Amino acid sequence: MGIDDGLDPGEGTALSPQELLGLDELLEQSQRGSEADDLRELRAFLTRLPMLGPYNAALVQLQRPGAHYVASRSVWAREFHRHVLPGARPLIILRPFGPVDLVYDIADTDGQPVPEGALAPFRIDGSITEEGLTAFTSLLPKAGVLYREEAVGSQLAGTVEPIDPPLTREGARRSVPLRHAVVVSSQLDPTARLVTAFHELGHVFARHLDHRTESTVRPGRPLDLRSREFEAEIVAWLLAARLGIYSPAGEYLAGYVEADGTVPPFSLQAVVSAAGRIESMAGGLAQLARLLRTGQTITDSPAHGPHQEELDLGAWA
């Protein structure tokens, strides 16, 4: 259950990615409550729209607050036996190798009831296994990240640092150079190690660190320490919520909220793009959930389950 690769005939002319505002600009133009309330709503709709990657889920929410379940016109017909109501307004999302796709909320469709378990494959609802954690961390070198576990002390859950110069893996053809090293405390249980890894990867993919090659350095985004930690904590908080696993990240985030509801400066575009990059390493949220449950990739089974759109900004990050 997911998004078609092509636009449905007769949908009209699509906008190019260059004509779409970024999430931060769209958020500034939308009606907002307190920043703390905005974060709670961000978590709610990313959890409510797991069939989309985080970036596209945020795009949908900004266009249609309260959207519950979205799919393209053809997916509603083919997989749910529902039709889009006349005059329904399509929602624009970015698509892999783009430019855009059009989807509709369930409220704009009619037909057979959607099965209650339609979203079940996206959630874990339990603890992470050692096998699942190992399977996930084995994917990190493909994203240029070296992962290891050490007894780093009770006051430190994890760290991330640039590798200078980047390392090339011996014997690996066309391998991505290792540009960042994530170290997680071996004293934590598998679920806590996973959430800590999400936090440190949030630093990497939200561009808090320099991106180094053998000959050049692209500086990270200019943020102070408080904003960098806040963004990374949001990434871990959002991913844990979408997977249905416990994370203390929400408690940590509460410490950043002032009495008037304000929070440190952060970029919505950066945090949801980082979360999407992490999910896409496993092929999407459904595949990531299965990997963490079983330690097996989704391609080893004929039942591939729901497909998740995986662009999540990609080349526009």
Side-chain angles (χ1 to χ4, degrees), residues 11-35:
E11 295 282 18
T13 302
L15 297 175
S16 71
Q18 290 75 21
E19 294 175 288
L20 295 172
L21 292 173
L23 288 182
D24 292 328
E25 289 84 355
L26 286 172
L27 186 62
E28 287 298 322
Q29 294 182 15
S30 67
Q31 294 294 321
R32 303 180 63 184
S34 74
E35 292 170 302

Short mmCIF file of all heavy atoms in Angstrom, two decimals, residues 11-35:
data_model
loop_
_atom_site.label_atom_id
_atom_site.label_comp_id
_atom_site.label_asym_id
_atom_site.label_seq_id
_atom_site.Cartn_x
_atom_site.Cartn_y
_atom_site.Cartn_z
N GLU A 11 -4.67 14.31 -14.07
CA GLU A 11 -4.55 14.99 -12.79
C GLU A 11 -4.16 16.46 -12.95
O GLU A 11 -4.17 17.21 -12.00
CB GLU A 11 -3.49 14.30 -11.92
CG GLU A 11 -3.84 12.90 -11.51
CD GLU A 11 -4.85 12.86 -10.37
OE1 GLU A 11 -5.52 13.88 -10.14
OE2 GLU A 11 -4.97 11.82 -9.74
N GLY A 12 -3.76 16.87 -14.14
CA GLY A 12 -3.36 18.25 -14.32
C GLY A 12 -1.85 18.38 -14.32
O GLY A 12 -1.12 17.43 -14.17
N THR A 13 -1.37 19.59 -14.48
CA THR A 13 0.06 19.84 -14.55
C THR A 13 0.66 19.87 -13.16
O THR A 13 0.18 20.59 -12.29
CB THR A 13 0.34 21.17 -15.26
OG1 THR A 13 -0.25 21.11 -16.57
CG2 THR A 13 1.83 21.41 -15.40
N ALA A 14 1.71 19.10 -12.95
CA ALA A 14 2.35 19.06 -11.63
C ALA A 14 3.37 20.17 -11.51
O ALA A 14 3.93 20.66 -12.49
CB ALA A 14 3.02 17.70 -11.43
N LEU A 15 3.61 20.59 -10.28
CA LEU A 15 4.65 21.57 -10.00
C LEU A 15 6.00 20.89 -9.97
O LEU A 15 6.12 19.74 -9.60
CB LEU A 15 4.39 22.24 -8.65
CG LEU A 15 3.10 23.05 -8.51
CD1 LEU A 15 2.96 23.54 -7.08
CD2 LEU A 15 3.09 24.22 -9.47
N SER A 16 7.03 21.63 -10.36
CA SER A 16 8.37 21.10 -10.26
C SER A 16 8.88 21.32 -8.85
O SER A 16 8.39 22.20 -8.14
CB SER A 16 9.29 21.80 -11.25
OG SER A 16 9.52 23.13 -10.83
N PRO A 17 9.90 20.55 -8.39
CA PRO A 17 10.45 20.78 -7.06
C PRO A 17 10.94 22.21 -6.86
O PRO A 17 10.88 22.75 -5.76
CB PRO A 17 11.61 19.78 -7.00
CG PRO A 17 11.25 18.71 -7.97
CD PRO A 17 10.52 19.42 -9.07
N GLN A 18 11.43 22.84 -7.94
CA GLN A 18 11.92 24.20 -7.82
C GLN A 18 10.80 25.19 -7.51
O GLN A 18 11.04 26.27 -6.97
CB GLN A 18 12.64 24.63 -9.10
CG GLN A 18 13.98 23.91 -9.34
CD GLN A 18 13.81 22.47 -9.80
OE1 GLN A 18 12.75 22.11 -10.31
NE2 GLN A 18 14.84 21.67 -9.62
N GLU A 19 9.54 24.81 -7.85
CA GLU A 19 8.41 25.70 -7.59
C GLU A 19 7.82 25.50 -6.20
O GLU A 19 6.96 26.27 -5.77
CB GLU A 19 7.32 25.47 -8.64
CG GLU A 19 7.73 25.87 -10.05
CD GLU A 19 6.66 25.50 -11.06
OE1 GLU A 19 6.50 24.31 -11.35
OE2 GLU A 19 5.98 26.42 -11.54
N LEU A 20 8.26 24.46 -5.50
CA LEU A 20 7.75 24.18 -4.16
C LEU A 20 8.60 24.89 -3.12
O LEU A 20 9.82 24.88 -3.19
CB LEU A 20 7.78 22.67 -3.88
CG LEU A 20 6.88 21.80 -4.74
CD1 LEU A 20 7.16 20.34 -4.47
CD2 LEU A 20 5.42 22.11 -4.48
N LEU A 21 7.94 25.51 -2.16
CA LEU A 21 8.66 26.10 -1.05
C LEU A 21 9.24 25.00 -0.16
O LEU A 21 8.71 23.90 -0.10
CB LEU A 21 7.72 26.97 -0.22
CG LEU A 21 7.20 28.26 -0.86
CD1 LEU A 21 6.16 28.90 0.04
CD2 LEU A 21 8.33 29.23 -1.13
N GLY A 22 10.32 25.31 0.55
CA GLY A 22 10.84 24.39 1.53
C GLY A 22 9.91 24.30 2.73
O GLY A 22 9.04 25.17 2.94
N LEU A 23 10.09 23.28 3.55
CA LEU A 23 9.23 23.09 4.70
C LEU A 23 9.32 24.25 5.68
O LEU A 23 8.32 24.64 6.29
CB LEU A 23 9.59 21.79 5.42
CG LEU A 23 9.21 20.49 4.71
CD1 LEU A 23 9.60 19.30 5.57
CD2 LEU A 23 7.73 20.45 4.39
N ASP A 24 10.51 24.79 5.87
CA ASP A 24 10.65 25.89 6.82
C ASP A 24 9.85 27.11 6.36
O ASP A 24 9.21 27.78 7.16
CB ASP A 24 12.12 26.26 6.99
CG ASP A 24 12.91 25.16 7.70
OD1 ASP A 24 12.31 24.47 8.54
OD2 ASP A 24 14.09 25.00 7.41
N GLU A 25 9.87 27.40 5.05
CA GLU A 25 9.11 28.53 4.53
C GLU A 25 7.60 28.27 4.65
O GLU A 25 6.83 29.16 5.01
CB GLU A 25 9.48 28.80 3.07
CG GLU A 25 10.86 29.39 2.87
CD GLU A 25 11.95 28.34 2.84
OE1 GLU A 25 11.65 27.14 3.07
OE2 GLU A 25 13.12 28.69 2.61
N LEU A 26 7.19 27.04 4.34
CA LEU A 26 5.77 26.70 4.46
C LEU A 26 5.31 26.80 5.90
O LEU A 26 4.20 27.27 6.18
CB LEU A 26 5.53 25.29 3.93
CG LEU A 26 5.58 25.13 2.41
CD1 LEU A 26 5.51 23.65 2.04
CD2 LEU A 26 4.43 25.87 1.74
N LEU A 27 6.14 26.37 6.84
CA LEU A 27 5.78 26.43 8.24
C LEU A 27 5.62 27.88 8.70
O LEU A 27 4.70 28.22 9.45
CB LEU A 27 6.84 25.73 9.09
CG LEU A 27 6.53 25.58 10.58
CD1 LEU A 27 5.28 24.74 10.78
CD2 LEU A 27 7.70 24.98 11.32
N GLU A 28 6.49 28.75 8.21
CA GLU A 28 6.40 30.16 8.58
C GLU A 28 5.10 30.78 8.08
O GLU A 28 4.56 31.70 8.70
CB GLU A 28 7.60 30.93 8.02
CG GLU A 28 8.90 30.67 8.75
CD GLU A 28 8.85 31.08 10.20
OE1 GLU A 28 8.22 32.13 10.50
OE2 GLU A 28 9.41 30.36 11.04
N GLN A 29 4.58 30.28 6.95
CA GLN A 29 3.37 30.85 6.38
C GLN A 29 2.10 30.24 6.97
O GLN A 29 1.01 30.73 6.74
CB GLN A 29 3.36 30.65 4.86
CG GLN A 29 4.46 31.42 4.15
CD GLN A 29 4.41 31.26 2.64
OE1 GLN A 29 3.41 30.80 2.09
NE2 GLN A 29 5.47 31.64 1.96
N SER A 30 2.24 29.15 7.72
CA SER A 30 1.07 28.47 8.28
C SER A 30 0.71 29.06 9.63
O SER A 30 1.49 29.77 10.25
CB SER A 30 1.34 26.97 8.42
OG SER A 30 2.34 26.75 9.39
N GLN A 31 -0.52 28.77 10.08
CA GLN A 31 -0.95 29.20 11.40
C GLN A 31 -0.28 28.31 12.43
O GLN A 31 -0.35 27.09 12.36
CB GLN A 31 -2.48 29.09 11.52
CG GLN A 31 -3.24 30.04 10.62
CD GLN A 31 -3.02 31.50 11.01
OE1 GLN A 31 -2.95 31.83 12.18
NE2 GLN A 31 -2.89 32.36 10.01
N ARG A 32 0.38 28.91 13.43
CA ARG A 32 1.14 28.14 14.40
C ARG A 32 0.70 28.47 15.82
O ARG A 32 0.32 29.61 16.12
CB ARG A 32 2.63 28.42 14.26
CG ARG A 32 3.20 28.15 12.89
CD ARG A 32 4.67 28.45 12.83
NE ARG A 32 5.44 27.60 13.73
CZ ARG A 32 6.75 27.71 13.91
NH1 ARG A 32 7.41 28.65 13.30
NH2 ARG A 32 7.39 26.90 14.73
N GLY A 33 0.77 27.49 16.70
CA GLY A 33 0.59 27.74 18.11
C GLY A 33 1.96 27.97 18.72
O GLY A 33 2.86 28.52 18.10
N SER A 34 2.15 27.52 19.96
CA SER A 34 3.48 27.62 20.54
C SER A 34 4.39 26.63 19.85
O SER A 34 3.94 25.65 19.25
CB SER A 34 3.42 27.32 22.04
OG SER A 34 3.23 25.94 22.26
N GLU A 35 5.69 26.89 19.92
CA GLU A 35 6.64 25.99 19.26
C GLU A 35 6.61 24.60 19.86
O GLU A 35 6.79 23.61 19.16
CB GLU A 35 8.04 26.60 19.33
CG GLU A 35 8.18 27.86 18.50
CD GLU A 35 9.49 28.58 18.76
OE1 GLU A 35 9.73 28.93 19.92
OE2 GLU A 35 10.25 28.77 17.80
#
